Amino acid sequence: MIEITAPETLVRRGGPVPSRTGPALVSAVLLVLHTAFALRNHARFRTTGYDLGIFGQAVREWAAGRLPTSAIRTASAPPGFEGEALPLLGDHFHPVVALLGPVYRLVPQVEVLLVAQAVLVSAAVYVTGRTAQRHLPGLWGAGPVVGAVCGLAWGTQALVGFDFHEVAFALPLLALACRAYLDGRLRAAAGWAAGLLLVKEDLGATAAVFGLLVVHKAREGRDRRAGWLLAVGASLAAVLVLKVVVPAFAPDGRYLYAGQVGGGYGFLDGWPVKALTLLALLAVTGGLVVRSPLAWLLLPTLGWRFASSVPAHWGPGLHYSAVLVPVACAALVDAVRRGARLPGIRGRGVLWIPLGAVLVLLPFQPTAVIAAPDFWKSDPREVAAREAVRQVPDGVRVAASNSLAPHLTDRTAVRLAAPGLLERRPAVDWLVVDRTDGFPTGAAEGALREAIGSPAWKVVREKAGIVLLARIR
């Protein structure tokens, strides 16, 4: 059993402290599975220009010692933008992605991003598992079980299942910050949370709330000062980024996503979908997430998402929920060590309920296709796409549809195939299109009609819906 004399004091009755083997094994297994899924999904041309291609171009620029830009991102640039590549720090503030620049310089392949994301997720799984071991020593298997919940939860699976995103860096940072907070190492917790400011602009609010939690828990002046420094500093930094830094890089001098709050939809709309997100979040912790002060960290992310006028932000299906998972798992550990229990459930059963919930939801996650035999077989579309991409020469300018673009970012200058972009200066010399691409709506077919209807283009090959054209010189 667990005896708690203070929130950060742990007493284990009998037996040695659990080893790292359990969490490490769960982390390693998930690393292999997530890496295998991501690489095979990419090989099947199921990754996209939005967003893997964009981040691939960003990391390629960082590796070359330049600020990140993306020609692919120009497809949805602000009106009037005519440049060749959009400055990405004027889109989202994610300088942490620069850490992948040296890795990409050694291995200049976009797959590096997919592997890196799997590593970051596994790091969060390991830290979360160790947190459970340390703070729930009386519950056998707490480390592996909570680690598995973290890695298999719907938010994590949605992140792994959809390309690469900068929020992957937030997962280990949040896991480390929450662990230090539960350990009572409050200055270390504030330090880890401060790293969120470099991940994405919306995480400044989460860092500020974390600072207030540190202040509330602090018993020493130095810890309290660290908390106030984080709370105030993160708030000021967030305002500075949104009002000064991002607009300075943005081509139209403003933060593009500010209009997503208070638009056609608002906080009161879409609650059937929003309720699913909340229910899924409660399922990850068996409903115990609300029994920990760490639950306050969930509110900034849920707040901006539910206030957004973009319905895609409301539901549980995309990567936006990934940052909630390490916090929810740490809150679960905190709630259980404080004595919270589920009605009629004793001992380690309180942790098996969340694990059962994520396993029930697992077949509905994007990564579930890894168990399907067809996932590992090449179909005619994949073969045709690989051959078409291979025929595009190195170093040329090419327009590609969404699913083909990330396969060309390493060795060509790629923009998205869309009407009106073929002749934007400097003009592209190659066009490769998958007729089945549906994003942006009508873009691939529109670009294809534009090229085929012009005497300046010739069809090089067309097979299985993949069309490759070259400009006649």
Side-chain angles (χ1 to χ4, degrees):
M1 64 179 292
I2 302 175
E3 177 182 330
I4 302 175
T5 58
E8 66 278 357
T9 303
L10 304 173
V11 179
R12 186 174 189 271
R13 295 180 175 178
V17 175
S19 73
R20 296 178 173 88
T21 304
L25 182 59
V26 171
S27 176
V29 170
L30 289 177
L31 174 60
V32 172
L33 291 177
H34 290 162
T35 300
F37 165 82
L39 294 180
R40 177 57 190 149
N41 200 50
H42 179 66
R44 296 176 70 227
F45 292 84
R46 300 298 180 181
T47 54
T48 58
Y50 277 70
D51 293 303
L52 180 59
I54 292 173
F55 281 106
Q57 291 180 329
V59 172
R60 185 179 178 182
E61 292 296 291
W62 281 121
R66 298 186 292 264
L67 292 177
T69 60
S70 172
I72 295 174
R73 184 62 179 79
T74 60
S76 54
F81 179 76
E82 296 293 338
E84 183 177 2
L86 188 79
L88 289 178
L89 292 180
D91 183 35
H92 287 299
F93 187 72
H94 41 52
V96 70
V97 177
L99 294 176
L100 297 179
V103 183
Y104 186 88
R105 193 175 181 88
L106 293 174
V107 185
Q109 296 179 350
V110 76
E111 289 87 346
V112 162
L113 279 70
L114 300 174
V115 176
Q117 181 166 263
V119 170
L120 291 168
V121 167
S122 291
V125 168
Y126 175 75
V127 173
T128 301
R130 289 290 291 164
T131 301
Q133 278 189 326
R134 177 171 175 79
H135 292 276
L136 303 176
L139 295 182
W140 179 86
V145 170
V146 176
V149 169
C150 180
L152 298 176
W154 50 276
T156 310
Q157 293 295 293
L159 174 66
V160 174
F162 179 36
D163 290 13
F164 168 89
H165 296 90
E166 71 277 71
V167 295
F169 285 95
L171 270 64
L173 286 173
L174 285 166
L176 288 164
C178 289
R179 177 178 178 178
Y181 176 85
L182 295 182
D183 289 349
R185 297 179 291 112
L186 299 184
R187 278 167 286 166
W192 288 117
L196 297 172
L197 298 172
L198 302 178
V199 177
K200 198 178 178 185
E201 65 276 2
D202 61 274
L203 289 172
T206 302
V209 172
F210 203 106
L212 295 178
L213 291 179
V214 169
V215 171
H216 182 265
K217 187 175 183 178
R219 293 187 176 88
E220 298 181 5
R222 288 181 299 176
D223 291 341
R224 190 171 292 107
R225 285 193 296 271
W228 280 119
L229 180 62
L230 177 61
V232 176
S235 300
L236 294 176
V239 173
L240 181 67
V241 165
L242 292 174
K243 297 294 185 180
V244 179
V245 178
V246 172
F249 286 99
D252 59 352
R254 66 185 185 91
Y255 179 53
L256 176 63
Y257 304 98
Q260 291 183 350
V261 177
Y265 294 104
F267 185 80
L268 298 179
D269 298 302
W271 272 101
V273 176
K274 294 172 182 177
L276 288 177
T277 301
L278 293 177
L279 288 174
L281 184 60
L282 291 172
V284 169
T285 63
L288 297 180
V289 63
V290 297
R291 303 289 296 274
S292 167
L294 290 174
W296 290 102
L297 296 176
L298 305 173
L299 296 184
T301 296
L302 291 174
W304 77 256
R305 288 176 59 190
F306 289 175
S308 172
S309 61
V310 180
H313 292 155
W314 304 341
L318 294 177
H319 61 280
Y320 302 109
S321 296
V323 297
L324 303 176
V325 175
V327 175
C329 290
L332 170 64
V333 171
D334 187 32
V336 174
R337 75 170 187 160
R338 290 169 177 267
R341 293 293 184 268
L342 295 173
I345 298 178
R346 298 181 178 180
R348 59 178 179 269
V350 74
L351 299 181
W352 289 103
I353 295 298
L355 180 61
V358 299
L359 291 177
V360 167
L361 294 174
L362 194 59
F364 305 99
Q365 304 304 328
T367 56
V369 297
I370 197 171
D374 288 346
F375 181 74
W376 303 98
K377 298 177 182 177
S378 297
D379 58 21
R381 170 188 172 272
E382 177 186 336
V383 174
R386 185 174 297 111
E387 180 59 26
V389 167
R390 187 191 65 79
Q391 286 189 240
V392 177
D394 293 352
V396 300
R397 300 186 186 280
V398 56
S401 59
N402 199 35
S403 63
L404 304 179
H407 293 264
L408 290 161
T409 56
D410 298 329
R411 58 186 183 86
T412 66
V414 192
R415 68 182 61 153
L416 206 64
L421 293 185
L422 299 184
E423 302 302 326
R424 176 180 286 180
R425 297 298 175 187
V428 298
D429 293 315
W430 290 80
L431 172 64
V432 58
V433 169
D434 180 351
R435 289 182 178 274
T436 64
D437 269 336
F439 180 86
T441 303
E445 280 292 338
L448 193 57
R449 285 195 302 268
E450 191 175 288
I452 291 178
S454 168
W457 291 88
K458 67 176 180 179
V459 176
V460 176
R461 63 174 285 128
E462 180 174 4
K463 190 173 184 180
I466 309 296
V467 188
L468 175 65
L469 300 93
R471 187 183 295 275
I472 300 173
R473 293 296 187 184

